[in-house]
Amino acid sequence: MDESAKPKTWEKFKLWATKHKKTLQIVVPIVVILLLFLFGLIQQGIVGGWLDNFNRATATLRVQDAKQQPIENAQILLGDSTANTDITGNATVTGLVAGTRQLTVRKTGFLTMTQDVVLKRGANSLGSFVLKEAPLAKVNLGLKITDYVSEASINDATVSLNDLKPILQGSSWQFNNVPVGDYKLTISKSGYNTASVDVTVDQKTTKLDEVKLVPAGVIVFESNRDKGLRGIFTASYNGTDQKNLVARTGDFEDYSPVLGPNQRKVFFTSTRDGAKNDSGEFKTFLYVVDVDGKNLTKISQTSDSYNAMWSPDGSYIGFVNYDSTNKKTRLYTYGVTNKSLNTFSGYDANSNFAFSADGSHIAFGANQDSDNTDGLFYGQSNGQGIQKIDTVNSYSLEFTATGTFRYSYYDNTQSKTRYFEYDPVANSKTEISAPQIDKVGAILSPDKKLRAYVSTRDGKANLYISDASGKNEVKLTDLNHVVSGDLLWSKDSSFIMFNLKSDAESARYLVSINGQAKAKKIVDINLTYNG
């Protein structure tokens, strides 16, 4: 090329640039900005991700051992995607982008394999990959899994040791050919808290420590651990995971919690309202809250929360409170669902009342305002349809599984305690033979097959159960200091929670109904009410 042409070309460009100077002043900055913007998108991966949509890929492969046997549950890592092989040793990895990617295949007991593979757009069949067994010693391990409460063996859980699965042999689980090393043992079962345990396996290990699965659920208890002031806490059934149900504030106290029979809500007494009476003392109010601490609701002022109780179905809370205006003690019920407070006006009630099993009706003893006479009354739990059943102010009210209720009173004329059963359907009462006095006041199990009660015999208070008719009694504890009035069935009717008060301790316990497992202490508690 003629060198003299270069100056002429340059002169022509300069002439063109001069002629289009204004246009270049506008266009050049725009081009620079667009280039910078495009560079930023590339840096953020936006353009790259958009381009990847046109370059998507999937991959299938098979993993086997040296004997060409499929390896199940081998972990596949390919690029940024993962998958696991099925029972045939096959796996499909999705979400890939074409190009050279690193493939990693690993499985406990085998050497990890890593290599690069080239993926094309669309489907890729990568073929078979062979894993070599790791040159480690292997052992067989036994494992026993039991129910924490009943101590019975559990044979239908989901169990894994990392990616290894056991087989069930009788009442024990067996892991075969486990390489020595560190593992995570995981056990899950519906209705129980999942157990996760770190274990180390060496050549001398023949069995793993027994795992006791804890039923899912919580207890609620009172404690004065916060500066000596009472507050309310929850814990799992083995006493772990303790935390506040509701936060105690200032110098106010929360105490006497009672978990509902359906175990969804808790009522308790509190001074958190901050109001004071004429003596300068904080007034006490009854509150209800969800078992997770949500939906805290003030129900009413109360002077005696110790005699408050849930209806067996958890739909009502019943309690008594002194009405200073009328100088009478009134019975109240609170409808949990509709948040309605019902006052049983016209009755100077005592603390003796009981709900029917479905929560729809209530029986109570009181002195009637209109004629100043004692009586036993029965009606709807919302305060409607009240009628007098007997002219005695009875005690030990108890509804039966069939919907009748029993009561007793001391007949001064005959110098003996008499027992009656009232049938609301027939509106009739019948005198019955005396049941064991300590069985009166029992609580029915959710399935209505059993009754739980505290019996004091020889000065020793223990927990008993019987069938719904009061027969076939079984003694569940030998603790001798079980507190009456604090019993709560588990939702599946398999165990009972209760309080114990002695010179040595105040604690919350639980015990299985099987009559074989020992009662287990859950947590130490502060017990405002001693039963």
Side-chain angles (χ1 to χ4, degrees):
M1 180 178 178
D2 189 354
E3 293 295 325
S4 62
K6 291 184 179 180
K8 290 182 180 180
T9 303
W10 175 247
E11 290 298 330
K12 288 181 180 181
F13 173 76
K14 288 174 60 179
L15 182 62
W16 179 87
T18 301
K19 184 177 180 180
H20 297 86
K21 181 176 181 181
K22 292 184 178 180
T23 302
L24 289 173
Q25 288 175 339
I26 296 173
V27 172
V28 170
I30 292 175
V31 172
V32 171
I33 292 172
L34 288 174
L35 290 173
L36 291 173
F37 180 70
L38 180 60
F39 179 75
L41 292 178
I42 293 173
Q43 288 292 95
Q44 296 177 48
I46 296 176
V47 173
W50 177 73
L51 292 174
D52 284 346
N53 288 328
F54 296 94
N55 212 20
R56 289 298 179 188
T58 61
T60 58
L61 68 156
R62 174 182 168 84
V63 180
Q64 58 190 29
D65 60 19
K67 297 179 181 179
Q68 298 185 335
Q69 295 300 306
I71 298 178
E72 181 186 3
N73 207 30
Q75 186 181 37
I76 312 299
L77 294 89
L78 184 53
D80 294 327
S81 299
T82 61
N84 288 82
T85 56
D86 59 19
I87 194 172
T88 65
N90 293 310
T92 299
V93 189
T94 60
L96 301 170
V97 178
T100 301
R101 299 288 180 262
Q102 185 181 73
L103 169 66
T104 299
V105 183
R106 58 192 181 200
K107 167 74 176 180
T108 301
F110 294 83
L111 297 176
T112 299
M113 186 214 72
T114 301
Q115 71 177 60
D116 288 338
V117 296
V118 178
L119 303 177
K120 65 180 182 180
R121 184 161 56 93
N124 294 261
S125 179
L126 302 182
S128 297
F129 296 88
V130 176
L131 292 186
K132 297 179 180 180
E133 291 193 41
L136 297 174
K138 295 182 179 181
V139 296
N140 295 333
L141 302 174
L143 170 65
K144 187 172 184 180
I145 304 172
T146 58
D147 182 296
Y148 171 75
V149 179
S150 70
E151 301 174 9
S153 295
I154 292 178
N155 301 327
D156 56 349
T158 299
V159 187
S160 64
L161 191 64
N162 282 13
D163 53 1
L164 301 178
K165 304 294 183 182
I167 59 175
L168 185 62
Q169 295 183 339
S171 61
S172 296
W173 300 81
Q174 185 77 21
F175 290 95
N176 294 323
N177 298 317
V178 179
V180 299
D182 295 325
Y183 294 87
K184 176 76 72 175
L185 175 65
T186 304
I187 304 170
S188 61
K189 176 177 168 59
S190 177
Y192 291 80
N193 297 329
T194 297
S196 184
V197 184
D198 292 322
V199 298
T200 297
V201 177
D202 58 31
Q203 295 185 37
K204 296 181 180 180
T205 307
T206 58
K207 65 179 181 179
L208 302 175
D209 291 338
E210 178 181 331
V211 175
K212 300 177 181 180
L213 283 189
V214 180
V218 299
I219 64 157
V220 179
F221 64 98
E222 174 189 317
S223 174
N224 59 358
R225 65 183 64 180
D226 184 8
K227 302 176 183 178
L229 297 172
R230 294 170 294 179
I232 300 174
F233 298 81
T234 62
S236 59
Y237 291 136
N238 64 349
T240 60
D241 195 26
Q242 296 183 25
K243 55 189 175 184
N244 281 103
L245 173 63
V246 288
R248 191 195 58 74
T249 59
D251 292 330
F252 305 135
E253 292 187 287
D254 303 317
Y255 53 95
S256 297
V258 180
L259 180 61
N262 53 26
Q263 302 185 34
R264 292 196 292 265
K265 289 183 177 290
V266 180
F267 73 71
F268 64 95
T269 306
S270 178
T271 60
R272 62 175 51 231
D273 185 74
K276 293 185 177 181
N277 57 26
D278 294 338
S279 301
E281 299 173 331
F282 286 121
K283 295 180 179 179
T284 56
F285 288 81
L286 197 64
Y287 283 79
V288 64
V289 66
D290 293 349
V291 75
D292 60 3
K294 298 179 181 179
N295 299 315
L296 178 65
T297 303
K298 182 169 68 173
I299 297 176
S300 173
Q301 184 176 356
T302 177
S303 58
D304 190 1
S305 65
Y306 311 129
N307 290 311
M309 71 170 66
W310 285 98
S311 63
D313 70 329
S315 61
Y316 279 94
I317 299 169
F319 62 99
V320 294
N321 186 49
Y322 182 70
D323 184 344
S324 58
T325 302
N326 296 306
K327 294 182 171 52
K328 304 285 186 181
T329 298
R330 299 301 188 196
L331 172 67
Y332 300 84
T333 60
Y334 177 77
V336 175
T337 301
N338 58 14
K339 298 183 179 180
S340 61
L341 183 64
N342 310 293
T343 306
F344 287 65
S345 302
Y347 304 94
D348 189 8
N350 55 38
S351 59
N352 185 33
F353 61 91
F355 288 99
S356 61
D358 63 0
S360 63
H361 288 76
I362 190 170
F364 61 96
N367 182 281
Q368 196 163 13
D369 291 356
S370 59
D371 56 14
N372 197 33
T373 59
D374 288 338
L376 175 64
F377 300 87
Y378 172 84
Q380 297 174 30
S381 294
N382 60 6
Q384 303 299 312
I386 305 300
Q387 57 181 311
K388 181 179 281 189
I389 302 305
D390 206 332
T391 57
V392 297
N393 197 335
S394 64
Y395 58 91
S396 299
L397 293 173
E398 178 194 352
F399 276 85
T400 69
T402 60
T404 64
F405 72 84
R406 297 170 181 169
Y407 62 96
S408 59
Y409 75 95
Y410 187 77
D411 189 332
N412 289 311
T413 60
Q414 299 187 28
S415 300
K416 70 175 184 177
T417 300
R418 301 173 65 187
Y419 301 87
F420 292 84
E421 185 166 345
Y422 175 73
D423 185 344
V425 177
N427 191 26
S428 62
K429 66 177 181 179
T430 305
E431 187 164 8
I432 60 176
S433 59
Q436 291 186 28
I437 185 63
D438 50 35
K439 289 187 180 181
V440 178
I443 61 170
L444 283 169
S445 59
D447 62 11
K448 298 181 176 58
K449 294 180 179 180
L450 299 170
R451 306 159 77 245
Y453 48 91
V454 175
S455 173
T456 303
R457 304 175 188 181
D458 301 324
K460 299 176 181 179
N462 281 295
L463 180 63
Y464 294 77
I465 58 172
S466 68
D467 60 27
S469 66
K471 300 177 181 178
N472 301 314
E473 182 179 80
V474 177
K475 182 181 179 183
L476 297 183
T477 68
D478 287 306
L479 299 170
N480 302 332
H481 295 281
V482 177
V483 176
S484 61
D486 293 306
L487 309 183
L488 178 65
W489 282 93
S490 64
K491 289 187 287 187
D492 65 355
S493 303
S494 67
F495 63 92
I496 304 163
M497 291 156 277
F498 60 93
N499 288 342
L500 180 142
K501 175 69 174 179
S502 68
D503 293 338
E505 63 175 341
S506 295
R508 188 74 169 160
Y509 276 73
L510 57 73
V511 66
S512 171
I513 65 169
N514 63 13
Q516 300 173 0
K518 291 291 186 181
K520 295 171 177 62
K521 178 178 176 179
I522 307 172
V523 65
D524 289 313
I525 63 174
N526 186 72
L527 197 56
T528 294
Y529 174 53
N530 293 333

